[in-house]
Amino acid sequence: MIPAKTITILPGDGIGAEVTHAARQVLEAIANRFGFKLKTQTALIGHEAIVATGKPLPEETLAACKAADAVLLGAVGHPMYDLDPSAKIRPEQGLLALRQDLGLYANLRPIQLFDELLDASHIKAETVKGVDILFFRELTGDVYFGQPRERRDNGNTALDTMIYSRYEVERIAHKAFVAAQQRSGRLCSVDKANVLESSRLWRETVQQLAKQYPDVQVTHMYVDNAAMQLIKNPRQFDVVLTGNMFGDILTDLASELSGSLGMLPSASIGDQHSLYEPIHGSAPDIAGLGVANPMATILSIALMLEISWQQADIGQYIRQVVDLVLKEGYRTRDIAESHTPPHKILGTTAITERIIDKIEQPALTLI
Ligand code: IPM
Ligand code: MG
């Protein structure tokens, strides 16, 4: 019997409401199917929260996240802030503050391919086939949070601080080493140690920790080379460990290996809390149209079941269900190909119904 769980859902901005609604329905179907109790509550974040309360992360939202067993987030961001780079209050601050306040220092971004979607990538199928990478992106340090960050010289000079402490590197590196042990035993740590002092500390710390994991084969790569290698020969990577800024950029780049940002989930883990969210953003251009791909959020539920609830088999089951729906030829607009028949291109609600139909069929069982 799986103990009852409380989940705080933060739909956020843009397509966030549509994709979290879909994922919540899938989670409810999973709870019914496997007989566990679920309590959900929703709270405001991002632009929606600014409009309603003036703050991107209201206190009630933070409290609801702290009280929950896990948090599911849609997306934050709104184009109106792009027009004013000097805006003091921005939706993204809500997400950054949440990561910091919940202590979510390890961001896991698996880049896995569905065979059905091999041709959806702009990169050749022969290059991306078989890619299975797990990124560990540090999430609460680096230039994202380093102080000082300010304007000087009457606003004509600006600075941010790239900073890491040994402790911050160690705690995420431990998680990455353990994951490497459970996977193929290979870990690539990405930095810019040929130039940056913070990267030299990063590398030195990873090298020292490696002694505790003699069964893991560690390599170090500069971030510029890593960007090239990810496109040239992505199968060389298994677990990739990197800092906040490099990880932000490399995971967007790596997402293209899978063909669509719309298929990629993520988990942000700390010692006490965890948050699950699709990698894609708020996609304001398609918000409210009912065409957003909910699968990255549904696959984030799979990660939640695996990591927060230790139900690896149910997580795997969700992935299998998504795979079956793809195998039947159904697509959302973002992953449709020129040869996809129009009646197989479904909106958010219709593709979610296909997924739930499968979950409700007793024939498909845990593997
Ligand atoms: C991400 C996003 C965020 C980040 C933004 C929305 C603040 O790009 O999760 O990758 O930069 O971390
Ligand atoms: Mg990003």
Side-chain angles (χ1 to χ4, degrees):
M1 184 69 189
I2 305 169
K5 298 281 180 186
T6 306
I7 300 181
T8 294
I9 302 179
L10 309 177
D13 304 322
I15 59 171
E18 294 156 81
V19 295
T20 52
H21 178 71
R24 176 204 199 129
Q25 289 179 310
V26 169
L27 187 56
E28 277 161 5
I30 287 283
N32 281 338
R33 168 85 200 246
F34 296 103
F36 59 91
K37 287 218 161 44
L38 200 62
K39 271 217 307 251
T40 54
Q41 52 188 349
T42 56
L44 292 167
I45 193 166
H47 173 69
E48 297 277 327
I50 297 173
V51 171
T53 70
K55 295 177 186 168
L57 180 66
E59 285 85 21
E60 309 84 75
T61 299
L62 181 59
C65 292
K66 285 191 170 162
D69 292 300
V71 180
L72 178 70
L73 178 99
V76 295
H78 192 283
M80 69 176 255
Y81 302 86
D82 300 343
L83 302 173
D84 177 12
S86 65
K88 290 265 176 301
I89 301 179
R90 311 179 67 89
E92 289 81 2
Q93 290 162 344
L95 179 57
L96 295 175
L98 189 62
R99 287 171 178 171
Q100 198 170 40
D101 292 345
L102 297 181
L104 307 174
Y105 58 84
N107 183 214
L108 279 64
R109 297 188 163 183
I111 309 289
Q112 277 174 343
L113 268 64
F114 289 89
D115 276 345
E116 297 303 309
L117 301 181
L118 271 187
D119 293 323
S121 174
H122 290 96
I123 302 168
K124 287 194 204 106
E126 69 204 55
T127 307
V128 296
K129 192 167 173 43
V131 162
D132 182 1
I133 306 173
L134 179 56
F135 276 90
F136 278 77
R137 167 192 175 195
E138 201 287 331
L139 204 60
T140 52
D142 203 350
V143 68
Y144 269 65
F145 295 96
Q147 294 292 338
R149 70 193 281 134
E150 62 197 31
R151 290 287 177 116
R152 292 183 183 166
D153 179 26
N154 291 327
N156 293 313
T157 303
L159 66 100
D160 297 281
T161 302
M162 190 173 242
I163 177 167
Y164 266 119
S165 68
R166 194 176 296 277
Y167 162 73
E168 287 175 301
V169 184
E170 278 174 354
R171 60 183 182 174
I172 184 166
H174 273 300
K175 287 200 186 305
F177 273 106
V178 170
Q181 283 179 321
Q182 290 161 357
R183 291 166 54 101
S184 75
R186 284 177 298 129
L187 185 150
C188 178
S189 173
V190 174
D191 61 37
K192 187 71 185 170
N194 50 344
V195 176
L196 301 172
E197 200 53 42
S198 54
S199 277
R200 285 195 269 271
L201 174 74
W202 181 282
R203 188 174 287 217
E204 182 187 305
T205 307
V206 174
Q207 277 167 341
Q208 278 164 0
L209 271 196
K211 295 183 193 135
Q212 297 176 33
Y213 300 91
D215 49 340
V216 176
Q217 185 201 330
V218 185
T219 51
H220 300 268
M221 201 180 273
Y222 298 138
V223 62
D224 46 351
N225 185 29
M228 186 201 30
Q229 296 295 337
L230 274 166
I231 299 299
K232 198 172 157 190
N233 176 15
R235 275 191 297 269
Q236 72 185 283
F237 296 101
D238 184 38
V239 174
V240 177
L241 166 66
T242 192
N244 203 346
M245 185 76 189
F246 299 153
D248 178 45
I249 299 166
L250 289 181
T251 53
D252 258 33
L253 183 144
S255 74
E256 184 45 36
L257 299 170
S258 82
S260 171
L261 266 177
M263 295 303 294
L264 293 177
S266 80
S268 301
I269 310 292
D271 293 330
Q272 271 140 39
H273 302 283
S274 53
L275 176 147
Y276 299 84
E277 61 174 311
I279 288 191
H280 62 69
S282 55
D285 52 325
I286 56 162
L289 299 182
V291 297
N293 182 350
M295 287 183 272
T297 318
I298 292 167
L299 294 167
S300 299
I301 294 284
L303 284 180
M304 181 189 287
L305 278 148
E306 274 170 20
I307 299 173
S308 286
W309 304 5
Q310 281 92 45
Q311 301 294 327
D313 47 353
I314 304 182
Q316 194 50 38
Y317 172 86
I318 296 177
R319 248 177 244 120
Q320 195 192 349
V321 167
V322 168
D323 197 33
L324 279 175
V325 169
L326 294 174
K327 284 206 164 75
E328 286 174 2
Y330 294 109
R331 301 284 186 271
T332 43
R333 215 167 71 167
D334 55 315
I335 51 173
E337 291 163 73
S338 51
H339 55 77
T340 310
H343 72 278
K344 294 256 168 163
I345 304 177
L346 305 183
T348 315
T349 309
I351 202 138
T352 305
E353 278 164 9
R354 299 279 156 193
I355 291 170
I356 291 174
D357 276 355
K358 291 252 172 307
I359 295 170
E360 286 170 351
Q361 276 167 29
L364 186 67
T365 52
L366 291 183
I367 38 175

